[in-house]
Amino acid sequence: MSKLQKILVRARRQVFSEMVGNNPSIFQGEGYDFIELREYMAGDDIRRIDWNITAKMQTPYIKVFREERELNVVIVSILNGSVHFGSKKFKQETIADVAALLSFSTLKNGDMLSSYIFTDKMISNSKPSKKIHQIQKNVGEILEFDAINQKVDFKVIADTLYKRLKRKSLILVVGDFFEIPDFKLLARKHEVVAVVVRDHLEEKPPEMGFSSLVDPESGARLEGDFNKSSVDAYSKKVQMHDHKLYETFRKHQIRFTKIYTDSVASVGLRRLFEGR
């Protein structure tokens, strides 16, 4: 079997098989019902004001309950050069795993599915659909994309999705997030969830002595002595970055999870949605 076939078969089995727990779907409940927060407008029912958000934003916000059951799910894969890395398997393959699991769960719930691939521009997108063959096309594009020397531009991603998505959607952004996005406006209009894909070695690299490394995003070559002091300093820098990243997500009410290349993606995704 090809790598694509293995990913699709594994994901479909995990989502649809009755052997995977009582609720094999990643999304909890039919349609994954959720509420929208928007600024108060004259005539709105004041009983729907969310006082916690109102206090934080210093502007009245109300809860708007979605009446229709069908949800528009948008899977956004970020394929900049740094996803071309992995000790067990490349992060790019794990992103494909995550996309497949989320896609099958979307169709299992009877919801609409669309997919985007971004670098510093929009590479591809698919229209909302309930057709299962769309999953193979979308996941195949993720696996086949040449991410080497590709950069990411989160402003382009946020602006493009804000303009293109007219209907309130559940947007699932999957990438390694070594840059911090500003999804503030996007998260006000839609429900945004971040799936951070990482490899343990890039967070806590081993001592390598004098080595020559190539940045897969810029192509720049870095030579130096990667001793205990330097790798510890690097690990601390990653920790500080992630702390700032998570604080930004929380500030903008974006839920998130981290999935490693050697972990079972479905477990982390279920915990994320069941803990809603």
Side-chain angles (χ1 to χ4, degrees), residues 108-152:
K108 180 181 184 297
N109 286 351
D111 294 322
M112 300 295 288
L113 170 69
S114 58
S115 177
Y116 287 79
I117 292 177
F118 279 97
T119 55
D120 56 355
K121 59 182 178 293
M122 187 177 74
I123 301 299
S124 68
N125 75 289
S126 64
K127 294 180 180 179
S129 171
K130 290 186 178 181
K131 296 179 179 178
I132 203 161
H133 75 266
Q134 188 68 40
I135 298 176
Q136 180 172 341
K137 180 178 180 294
N138 294 343
V139 176
E141 286 182 345
I142 295 171
L143 282 176
E144 294 167 8
F145 183 73
D146 185 2
I148 294 293
N149 295 330
Q150 299 287 347
K151 296 178 174 57
V152 62

Side-chain angles (χ1 to χ4, degrees), residues 163-220:
K163 292 174 183 176
R164 292 178 67 96
L165 300 177
K166 306 300 182 184
R167 175 184 167 190
K168 181 171 172 62
S169 304
L170 171 61
I171 304 175
L172 302 144
V173 187
V174 190
D176 59 15
F177 288 95
F178 277 115
E179 292 186 27
I180 296 178
D182 183 357
F183 288 154
K184 180 179 180 180
L185 290 179
L186 191 66
R188 284 186 181 180
K189 184 178 179 182
H190 305 280
E191 176 148 354
V192 180
V193 175
V195 181
V196 182
V197 175
R198 295 282 180 83
D199 189 276
H200 288 291
L201 280 188
E202 65 187 345
E203 294 186 347
K204 295 182 179 179
E207 298 174 41
M208 297 178 287
F210 187 84
S211 304
S212 179
L213 305 178
V214 177
D215 184 337
E217 188 165 307
S218 67

Side-chain angles (χ1 to χ4, degrees), residues 28-45:
Q28 187 180 36
E30 292 184 8
Y32 186 63
D33 204 9
F34 63 92
I35 60 172
E36 175 183 3
L37 289 170
R38 65 165 173 81
E39 290 190 40
Y40 176 85
M41 299 173 61
D44 286 334
D45 188 344

Side-chain angles (χ1 to χ4, degrees), residues 82 85 91 176-180 196-205 229-247 258 260:
S82 57
F85 178 84
K91 289 183 287 181
D176 59 15
F177 288 95
F178 277 115
E179 292 186 27
I180 296 178
V196 182
V197 175
R198 295 282 180 83
D199 189 276
H200 288 291
L201 280 188
E202 65 187 345
E203 294 186 347
K204 295 182 179 179
S229 177
S230 60
V231 297
D232 285 350
Y234 169 82
S235 296
K236 185 176 181 180
K237 187 176 180 180
V238 172
Q239 289 177 3
M240 292 172 63
H241 166 85
D242 283 356
H243 177 75
K244 186 177 179 180
L245 175 68
Y246 301 157
E247 286 300 306
K258 181 184 284 187
Y260 288 99

